[in-house]
Amino acid sequence: MGSDEYLLNIEDLGDLKPCIPMYGPITIKNLKPGKVMLYCRCGLSKDTPWCDNSHVGTPFKPMKWKVPEFSGATSRFSICHCKYTKKPP
């Protein structure tokens, strides 16, 4: 078996789906209101749910998300971890 058999055709990358690090949401605490975060949409990040540029070389790009203002002593957000939500993050 030659090594060429393992190469992907670049046109096939359009059908790529994100990796799913975990089904369901992840709870994130103590985010600074107004801070812009980069939400990982490829699922490859080691700093999930935030982007660490693991998507480089794939068709995926991170999504900018501005931490909303909140009231109360603690900020707590439920962030999609499966990458298939209709309302990310």
Side-chain angles (χ1 to χ4, degrees):
M1 201 179 309
S3 62
D4 290 344
E5 293 178 44
Y6 295 105
L7 297 177
L8 289 175
N9 187 341
I10 197 71
E11 286 83 28
D12 294 337
L13 291 177
D15 292 334
L16 263 147
K17 304 290 185 237
C19 178
I20 300 171
M22 179 179 90
Y23 287 97
I26 184 171
T27 300
I28 304 292
K29 298 187 243 177
N30 302 321
L31 295 175
K32 183 179 176 187
K35 183 174 181 179
V36 175
M37 306 294 290
L38 292 178
Y39 171 69
C40 169
R41 294 194 303 176
C42 71
L44 300 173
S45 176
K46 307 255 184 308
D47 190 27
T48 191
W50 313 123
C51 178
D52 69 357
N53 288 320
S54 292
H55 65 274
V56 173
T58 74
F60 296 101
K61 303 286 182 241
M63 182 187 95
K64 287 183 181 179
W65 177 65
K66 185 176 178 182
V67 178
E69 298 293 328
F70 58 89
S71 60
T74 310
S75 66
R76 194 174 250 176
F77 299 94
S78 251
I79 307 286
C80 173
H81 217 186
C82 76
K83 313 301 175 195
Y84 285 92
T85 184
K86 293 183 183 196
K87 296 181 181 180

